[in-house]
Amino acid sequence: MAHGPDPVPGKPGYDITTNDRHLATLPTDPEKMYDWLAEAGPAHSGQETRQAMFTLVGDLIRDAIMPPEQGAALFHAVARMPGHEQHGHPGPGRRRPCRSASVTGARRPRRGQAGVMSGSVEQGISQTHGNTHILHFLVRLPRPVEAVWPTLGTPEGLASWFTPADVLEPRLGGAIALRDVGSGQVTAWDVERVAEYTVEDGGRLRFHLERDGETGTALRFTYESQGETESEQRWRARFERLIEVLEGGGS
């Protein structure tokens, strides 16, 4: 992806920059987003169109802070891509293909007190490239960023919904030891924005926070592993638990 200042419109790199101002110009209609991915994908990676589209989607989710409208269009566009299965049922008249990429099920909304909608686990994307498995989730959390950050960036917070952190040095390059996951390093650290933990077996967990409205937070999660991978359902259950903790329902 092209980072830094906006490339000049019409010049190389403008169509795939992750600059916030450019991302806000992307389509909010899923069909138009699909067309944009088909056009920009090959220019981004040089791959054939279908694989290039998945690569571009993965890079956007990992590296960019997508505006909510564009992010929703992106997930719906992925659901239309050939060569994937949508969780629960294949497309009409089509047998299930071998899965190289998939979109997990629709959001599972939750309700807080007085029936007010609160946190939800949105659609996720699962990709397989050779021996590398990549899982992406977008999670809407019912608390502001400053309240969410401790659940991702402190030992006590991680233990409340995921797993105990026996060691966590809160800095880039610091040591991390996640019980039942592995030990390694903090490979990205930007307080109240990004925490990334890479463990010795090649696994990488990236938590990317952005504000979602006045009181909410959008969590963009990436999990990358080699060989065996944890299931989408298991991560979905963890994020449901995280929502419960933030809503005050955790024990």
Side-chain angles (χ1 to χ4, degrees), residues 153-173:
T154 68
E156 299 79 10
L158 287 166
S160 70
W161 68 276
F162 176 30
T163 190
D166 297 318
V167 177
L168 173 53
E169 297 177 349
R171 58 179 174 82
L172 182 63

Side-chain angles (χ1 to χ4, degrees), residues 13-244:
Y14 181 78
D15 288 342
I16 56 174
T17 179
T18 57
N19 185 281
D20 292 348
R21 285 176 291 172
H22 176 253
L23 294 174
T25 70
L26 296 182
T28 57
D29 177 78
E31 292 188 4
K32 293 181 179 179
M33 177 64 78
Y34 182 96
D35 292 339
W36 177 79
L37 290 170
E39 180 178 355
H44 167 57
S45 66
Q47 299 169 313
E48 57 89 16
T49 300
R50 184 178 67 182
Q51 188 60 48
M53 292 170 74
F54 279 117
T55 298
L56 178 55
V57 168
D59 288 348
L60 282 170
I61 293 174
R62 183 183 67 244
D63 297 335
I65 306 176
M66 294 285 287
E69 295 82 3
Q70 281 78 7
L74 186 69
F75 279 106
H76 285 294
V78 171
R80 297 184 55 229
M81 291 183 186
H84 85 281
E85 66 179 32
Q86 187 165 0
H87 186 71
H89 52 83
R94 180 182 298 173
R95 295 190 305 168
R96 292 188 184 274
C98 294
R99 188 172 73 176
S100 59
S102 69
V103 177
T104 64
R107 74 176 64 180
R108 294 169 60 184
R110 301 177 55 85
R111 294 183 180 274
Q113 294 181 350
V116 177
M117 295 300 294
S118 53
S120 63
V121 182
E122 306 279 336
Q123 287 181 319
I125 299 173
S126 176
Q127 299 171 291
T128 300
H129 302 284
N131 199 42
T132 300
H133 304 282
I134 304 173
L135 177 64
H136 302 286
F137 265 109
L138 171 61
V139 184
R140 305 286 184 187
L141 299 171
R143 299 291 302 281
V145 169
E146 54 269 23
V148 173
W149 173 256
T151 67
L152 308 174
T154 68
E156 299 79 10
L158 287 166
S160 70
W161 68 276
F162 176 30
T163 190
D166 297 318
V167 177
L168 173 53
E169 297 177 349
R171 58 179 174 82
L172 182 63
I176 180 76
L178 298 172
R179 197 177 303 175
D180 301 324
V181 178
S183 302
Q185 282 191 325
V186 178
T187 47
W189 189 261
D190 186 353
V191 174
E192 295 188 356
R193 185 169 182 267
V194 177
E196 181 180 276
Y197 309 126
T198 300
V199 296
E200 58 194 8
D201 65 352
R204 180 174 66 90
L205 301 92
R206 183 180 180 88
F207 304 95
H208 190 155
L209 300 179
E210 59 187 87
R211 298 193 181 278
D212 189 15
E214 295 183 359
T215 60
T217 299
L219 165 62
R220 300 187 186 278
F221 171 75
T222 301
Y223 174 67
E224 181 177 321
S225 64
Q226 304 291 324
E228 294 184 4
T229 183
E230 291 194 335
S231 69
E232 299 153 13
Q233 292 81 5
R234 188 172 185 183
W235 275 106
R236 182 177 291 276
R238 286 169 174 160
F239 290 133
E240 291 283 356
R241 172 63 177 167
L242 174 59
I243 291 170
E244 291 178 358

